[in-house]
Amino acid sequence: MTEKRRATALASVDAPRLRRLPGGMFARRSLWLLLTYLLVVLLLVGRLVQVQVVRADDYAARGAEQRDRFLTLPADRGRLYDRNGEVLAASVQAMTIHADPRAFHPQPDPATGGTLPPAEDPAATVAALAPLLGVEADVLRERIDGPGEWVVLARQVDRAVGQQVRELGLQGIGVVPEPRRAYPGGTLASQLIGVTDIDGTGIAGLELQHEESLAGQPGWLAYERSEDGFAIPTGARDLQAPVPGNDLVLTIDRQVQHTAERVAAETVERWSASGASIVVLEVGTGDVLAMASAPTVDLAERSSITPDALRNRAVTDMLEPGSVQKAITAAAALEDGVVTSDTRMLVDDRISVGGSTFSDSHDHPVEEMTFAEVIQTSSNVGTIMVAQELGDERLAHWLDRFGFGQPVGVGFPGEAAGIVRPVEDWWGTSLPTMAIGQGIAMTLLQAANAYATLANDGVAVTPRILRGTVAEDGRLQAGPVLDGERVVSSETARTVREVLAGVVDGERGTGGAASVVGHRVAGKTGTARKPSPDGGYSGGYIATFVGMAPVDDPRVVVAVMVDEPDVIWGGTVAAPAFAEVMTEALRRARVAPEASGPSLRSAMTDARRAVAVTRDEQSTDGSVEGAAAAP
Amino acid sequence: MSAVPTPQHLRTARPQRTTRPQARPRLRLVPAPARHPLLWAAVGLLVLALGVFGAVTASALSAEGAVAAAQLEDAVTDAQATHAELLVEVAELDDPARIARVAAELGLVRADRPRLLPVLRVLPADGAGADRRVDAGDTADRLKPLLAQGG
């Protein structure tokens, strides 16, 4: 028994004391626990339903707002090429530097309620950026000190500059790409090409005229980005590629254009003129090979661009052509059979018509002239006599047939139509004044086009500046070629050309300075008084020369207008400019010279002989000097 | 050849079954070899790990491809921008006004009245030059190489 008690005692000491819960307590607690879990699960499910179902759209929208980005992709603006594929205008990638001014100001700290220091030192930022951007430090400081969240510090800087700014890693400074229009020729054809605004929209010239074709269609890119701003590589991405604008091929020949601009500028300087214009047309096609105005404007210097400087004078400015018009009067008279080139006339130096007296440029006794000599000597009196034979109606008809008083049709912005009064509004002096190129207004392009009609054997072709577009395969997609319209017979045209050739190479011609080495030239000088804005005529003159070459088969027409030169005569001022431009135009057109000169072989023989003689002389001199120098 | 029946006397009686066929051994369920539960867990984890690894690898490869594509797009954009810049730079460098200016700086002067020398025979260079010239009545084919060079 002792052992049994001991065991009982030990058992009572070592065994844990188990306490039986009251009946049902465990089950109740389990139930509560289960209910609690259930409640939590219900809460979670409820929240899930709220998030995923009830407010799903809202949260999806918020997420998308934070994650999705939509970029508008600007279309590459089309390029402008000259007729040989040389670039006249192109868009390049530039960079725009912007800043978030908040990064340079103390900002409230939402966590502590205090103030956070600026993320970046404004002074250091300005010091780093000013030399790179070429902007005054004060200007930069003013911009980043200003209010707002986004200010532009510099637009369209070079891509390399943008990269340098990016590498600085400045807080609050951003760099975004932006296309910039570049005009590599600077002043070359600037008034013709026109210009875009800083956003790349054409505002003048061909840039404006062909805006729709050049602009293209912008595209867009939708993508997802991470919190740090980088695109999520595997995220959703939707791209609508932009459609680039058309590349346009102009009819301009860059070399001829350059020559025309240089000559125009030199002419303005030489004759202290207020301006000059030159138009070069290709006969047969109507292609405008050059259209120059002086003074010109550099498209690379935006600050120098003004509407007045961008004026394409050859198309937008009207002038009274003066004696240049006599070729048209002559063509009309010849076509209508009023005269022939050999018709002899007694011409005084004065004539009274409609109560006004018209005189020639110089006094002379009554003399007998052929009609050709009347034109070649630019006799106002003789021309008026022929015009009187022609009559108002017929002269008005021919002015209309040659396209005066209506736009030429190149579609250039601001193209002037010229002024020709309706024949019913003519009065006593209208006929004589218009016959000699006064009281009628036209653009230089109109004058050139009328002469191109004569050069093209009497068939008028609408001038064109746009040759075509560049197709996707790089080939030229030529624009429509309009049919020509016969204005006068080829015989009349040839006769007028021969008459006009006498202006240049005739003994009494007024345009001798327009002669071109190796080619026969036909043309007409013009010296016209400038109309005054207040009515009547001002004291200024316009000197002109319009002509073509070669006479037998004209390939090029050149028209020159010099505004208010200090020497007024077209034969003195405009004719030399014509000759220089025509020389270059014929060379570019590879027109073989007509005149015979020393052959290349004989010239080379002469040159070798000259070199040999020079060497002999040097050799002799050297030996003499060497002998003299020897001890 | 048909079978010949065996004569009656030659036939032997079918041996009589003398013993009872042995009873089939009693089938009993053999307990499958016990596999440790951890083995299943390990296999499951392995499959899960492989699945996750595969998914992650596929995602990474996809991301790598996307990154490479983005880099290529950036490179193309950059190359196009560089091409446009170079195109403009070339046009600036061969601008006639610049060439004239440089020529003047080098001491060249413009001939006032050029002298024309008629060539009595066609030189090879003339023929080669004629191929390159661009006349007024050019077709698309003749302008193409020029435009292709220009961009």
Side-chain angles (χ1 to χ4, degrees):
Chain A
M1 291 300 287
T2 307
E3 290 294 324
K4 190 175 181 181
R5 282 180 189 167
R6 182 180 295 167
T8 306
L10 285 173
S12 64
V13 170
D14 296 337
R17 184 171 292 175
L18 296 175
R19 187 167 61 89
R20 181 180 289 272
L21 290 170
M25 179 71 79
F26 177 77
R28 280 200 302 275
R29 287 188 177 180
S30 298
L31 185 61
W32 278 113
L33 194 60
L34 190 61
L35 286 175
T36 305
Y37 285 157
L38 192 59
L39 185 63
V40 170
V41 168
L42 281 176
L43 283 173
L44 289 175
V45 168
R47 180 64 176 159
L48 195 63
V49 169
Q50 184 196 22
V51 170
Q52 294 287 347
V53 178
V54 178
R55 300 187 62 187
D57 293 342
D58 180 35
Y59 283 115
R62 287 196 203 181
E65 187 181 347
Q66 293 175 355
R67 192 179 62 247
D68 292 350
R69 281 293 173 268
F70 184 88
L71 284 181
T72 299
L73 304 176
D76 287 339
R77 190 174 178 83
R79 294 174 184 147
L80 294 177
Y81 295 99
D82 85 337
R83 65 187 294 110
N84 299 318
E86 305 289 354
V87 176
L88 298 176
S91 291
V92 296
Q93 190 72 274
M95 296 292 184
T96 288
I97 316 298
H98 62 90
D100 182 353
R102 293 177 300 176
F104 305 97
H105 304 313
Q107 295 294 315
D109 185 359
T112 64
T115 303
L116 290 172
E120 195 70 62
D121 178 16
T125 301
V126 166
L129 289 180
L132 278 177
L133 304 182
V135 181
E136 294 286 336
D138 295 342
V139 176
L140 285 182
R141 186 61 191 260
E142 187 180 344
R143 288 178 186 167
I144 66 172
D145 281 347
E149 300 175 0
W150 204 88
V151 293
V152 174
L153 301 182
R155 279 193 78 173
Q156 300 179 358
V157 297
D158 287 345
R159 205 157 54 103
V161 173
Q163 189 60 33
Q164 285 177 289
V165 172
R166 193 172 275 162
E167 287 169 357
L168 290 175
L170 297 169
Q171 294 288 321
I173 300 297
V175 181
V176 291
E178 186 182 24
R180 180 185 66 204
R181 199 66 167 163
Y183 302 96
T187 59
L188 189 81
S190 53
Q191 289 113 330
L192 179 65
I193 294 171
V195 71
T196 66
D197 62 14
I198 197 159
D199 294 321
T201 304
I203 55 173
L206 296 175
E207 294 272 27
L208 172 62
Q209 183 183 351
H210 298 288
E211 168 64 22
E212 192 176 340
S213 178
L214 287 167
Q217 296 288 331
W220 48 263
L221 170 66
Y223 68 99
E224 293 180 339
R225 70 167 195 172
S226 61
E227 188 182 357
D228 53 11
F230 292 104
I232 301 172
T234 55
R237 191 171 186 274
D238 202 0
L239 171 68
Q240 173 71 49
V243 180
N246 290 319
D247 293 339
L248 306 183
V249 182
L250 308 184
T251 58
I252 296 297
D253 183 314
R254 188 174 65 159
Q255 193 66 44
V256 179
Q257 177 73 25
H258 163 68
T259 301
E261 289 182 6
R262 177 180 60 77
V263 170
E266 289 174 358
T267 302
V268 166
E269 185 178 353
R270 180 179 178 190
W271 303 106
S272 303
S274 63
S277 294
I278 297 176
V279 171
V280 183
L281 290 181
E282 186 178 64
V283 176
T285 63
D287 283 0
V288 178
L289 298 176
M291 188 177 279
S293 295
T296 187
V297 60
D298 189 350
L299 297 177
E301 298 291 334
R302 280 195 172 271
S303 57
S304 68
I305 299 175
T306 61
D308 187 58
L310 273 177
R311 216 170 74 233
N312 186 3
R313 295 163 182 258
V315 180
T316 62
D317 288 14
M318 292 186 291
L319 57 101
E320 294 197 3
S323 297
V324 164
Q325 182 68 15
K326 290 171 183 167
I328 309 303
T329 305
L334 289 167
E335 182 72 5
D336 279 353
V338 173
V339 289
T340 66
S341 60
D342 296 327
T343 300
R344 306 193 75 79
M345 311 161 58
L346 287 175
V347 182
D348 201 349
D349 62 351
R350 281 176 171 71
I351 186 171
S352 293
V353 183
S356 296
T357 300
F358 297 85
S359 62
D360 282 342
S361 60
H362 58 283
D363 296 338
H364 61 83
V366 176
E367 58 181 310
E368 187 177 335
M369 294 182 184
T370 64
F371 178 61
E373 288 172 334
V374 166
I375 299 299
Q376 288 161 4
T377 58
S378 200
S379 168
N380 291 334
V381 175
T383 307
I384 290 171
M385 290 166 64
V386 172
Q388 286 177 316
E389 292 290 319
L390 195 64
D392 290 0
E393 295 288 344
R394 284 197 285 180
L395 182 60
H397 165 76
W398 288 112
L399 292 178
D400 180 64
R401 293 286 291 148
F402 274 96
F404 300 121
Q406 51 199 301
V408 165
V410 292
F412 195 84
E415 179 185 359
I419 300 172
V420 180
R421 293 180 188 280
V423 67
E424 53 270 21
D425 294 341
W426 288 16
W427 59 85
T429 56
S430 294
L431 176 77
T433 51
M434 287 190 189
I436 61 172
Q438 299 278 186
I440 179 176
M442 64 183 68
T443 64
L444 190 64
L445 180 61
Q446 284 178 315
N449 190 39
Y451 272 65
T453 299
L454 296 172
N456 196 32
D457 283 341
V459 176
V461 176
T462 303
R464 61 173 188 168
I465 302 173
L466 181 64
R467 193 178 182 199
T469 57
V470 182
E472 287 184 3
D473 60 358
R475 291 169 182 257
L476 172 70
Q477 200 164 8
V481 179
L482 302 176
D483 292 335
E485 182 183 0
R486 179 161 293 284
V487 177
V488 294
S489 67
S490 57
E491 186 181 348
T492 297
R494 276 198 298 273
T495 304
V496 174
R497 289 205 301 268
E498 282 300 326
V499 170
L500 295 181
V503 174
V504 179
D505 56 21
E507 288 183 6
R508 302 179 64 187
T510 56
S515 62
V516 173
V517 177
H519 298 279
R520 272 193 84 208
V521 171
K524 185 70 190 78
T525 56
T527 305
R529 296 167 67 187
K530 277 186 76 174
S532 168
D534 305 326
Y537 287 99
S538 67
Y541 281 82
I542 289 180
T544 51
F545 190 95
V546 186
M548 63 201 77
V551 173
D552 294 335
D553 181 20
R555 298 280 301 276
V556 180
V557 166
V558 175
V560 180
M561 181 276 286
V562 185
D563 192 7
E564 297 187 5
D566 53 5
V567 174
I568 63 174
W569 308 112
T572 305
V573 176
F578 166 91
E580 197 163 353
V581 174
M582 179 60 86
T583 300
E584 178 66 15
L586 291 173
R587 190 184 68 79
R588 290 289 291 175
R590 299 180 70 87
V591 179
E594 300 164 354
S596 61
S599 70
L600 178 60
R601 179 175 295 176
S602 65
M604 291 299 289
T605 304
D606 292 345
R608 288 194 189 99
R609 193 172 292 135
V611 169
V613 169
T614 306
R615 280 182 182 158
D616 288 345
E617 289 175 356
Q618 287 176 344
S619 168
T620 306
D621 294 344
S623 60
V624 172
E625 288 172 7
Chain B
M1 182 174 173
S2 61
V4 178
T6 307
Q8 187 68 32
H9 66 278
L10 292 178
R11 291 184 188 176
T12 56
R14 180 171 292 180
Q16 296 296 311
R17 186 174 288 172
T18 55
T19 58
R20 291 172 62 89
Q22 285 187 342
R24 280 186 169 181
R26 185 173 293 169
L27 296 175
R28 61 186 176 85
L29 286 173
V30 178
R35 289 189 176 141
H36 199 282
L38 282 178
L39 183 61
W40 291 109
V43 170
L45 281 175
L46 183 63
V47 170
L48 187 65
L50 285 174
V52 169
F53 180 76
V56 169
T57 303
S59 175
L61 288 175
S62 170
E64 185 185 14
V67 168
Q71 287 176 337
L72 281 175
E73 282 180 8
D74 289 347
V76 168
T77 305
D78 198 49
Q80 285 175 335
T82 304
H83 174 254
E85 285 176 355
L86 291 174
L87 202 67
V88 170
E89 192 176 336
V90 168
E92 286 172 348
L93 289 174
D94 67 1
D95 176 43
R98 175 189 168 277
I99 291 173
R101 190 169 58 250
V102 172
E105 288 170 3
L106 292 173
L108 296 168
V109 294
R110 194 179 304 280
D112 290 336
R113 302 289 278 183
R115 214 175 151 197
L116 300 172
L117 304 174
V119 180
L120 301 182
R121 61 186 173 86
V122 177
L123 299 175
D126 291 340
D131 293 336
R132 291 198 302 271
R133 70 176 182 155
V134 178
D135 284 336
D138 267 349
T139 62
D141 294 313
R142 301 185 69 178
L143 190 57
K144 185 206 167 192
L146 294 163
L147 288 176
Q149 286 172 9

